[in-house]
Amino acid sequence: MNRSSLAVSMAAAVVLALQPGTASATRGLFTYTPPPVEEALQAPRVGTCYTMDGDGPAENQTRYEAELFRGANCSGLDRVLRQGQRHRNAVFSSARFVGHGSAGGYFSYSLAPLPEALENPQADRCIDIRGEGRAANRTDKVVLLFSRPGCPGTANAKIYAHERVSHSRFESVEFVS
């Protein structure tokens, strides 16, 4: 192979490498723009609040919905980007990723003095319920417990699938995979 054909082959390889990837190549990627450069979050976890400043284009190539918040601790919901959706000028300070479906089973808890229960609660969504005392997670998901309504920030505690606790106190919960 002579030098000119080697140079053409190398140039073609560089062009192919710089081509935008397919949806499968970017699956699990959330891209956003904190000025002045684009950033990416690879394979975000459902239910985790991520502090990130976005001010420009954002694209959600994850399997989940991306909730974008004005506040730094996932407070002040501004917009939701569905799977595969983009927004050309998203301004936000934090994000949380949520899925769909329900947690199979039930979650029992105390609200003194009465026992309460949620049957097949919706997964990956905040549920404002108040509990204090015993709790049993008989679902197939992990339940995150938050000390304030609206599931703000990071959970204070979690109860794994098929686990019981003797003392809990919460104002909202979220069932996550």
Side-chain angles (χ1 to χ4, degrees):
M1 182 180 274
N2 65 32
R3 280 190 158 170
S4 63
S5 60
L6 179 62
V8 169
S9 295
M10 289 180 71
V14 168
V15 167
L16 286 174
L18 295 177
Q19 291 293 318
T22 63
S24 63
T26 59
R27 188 170 207 196
L29 198 64
F30 177 76
T31 57
Y32 64 102
T33 306
V37 296
E38 182 178 89
E39 295 283 335
L41 179 62
Q42 178 70 36
R45 295 187 61 155
V46 169
T48 300
C49 181
Y50 293 93
T51 299
M52 55 176 67
D53 288 321
D55 188 0
E59 183 173 5
N60 183 14
Q61 289 297 325
T62 71
R63 298 181 307 156
Y64 312 107
E65 288 184 348
E67 296 178 328
L68 306 181
F69 297 87
R70 289 183 296 275
N73 290 322
C74 290
S75 61
L77 181 63
D78 185 57
R79 76 179 65 251
V80 175
L81 289 181
R82 297 189 198 323
Q83 180 182 2
Q85 190 176 20
R86 25 176 120 186
H87 191 275
R88 60 187 172 147
N89 191 27
V91 179
F92 58 97
S93 295
S94 58
R96 181 170 44 220
F97 296 85
V98 295
H100 296 288
S102 62
Y106 67 93
F107 174 67
S108 63
Y109 60 98
S110 296
L111 181 55
L114 302 174
E116 298 282 335
L118 291 174
E119 289 195 37
N120 299 318
Q122 187 173 10
D124 301 318
R125 292 277 187 219
C126 181
I127 302 169
D128 284 339
I129 58 171
R130 185 170 176 254
E132 187 172 339
R134 295 178 187 256
N137 181 12
R138 300 293 183 216
T139 72
D140 56 356
K141 308 282 184 201
V142 173
V143 62
L144 304 177
L145 308 177
F146 295 87
S147 62
R148 294 185 293 161
C151 302
T154 303
N156 295 339
K158 65 175 100 174
I159 304 173
Y160 293 96
H162 307 290
E163 182 179 63
R164 292 188 309 196
V165 297
S166 60
H167 186 72
S168 63
R169 179 177 281 165
F170 53 88
E171 296 283 330
S172 58
V173 297
E174 185 172 0
F175 295 84
V176 297
S177 303

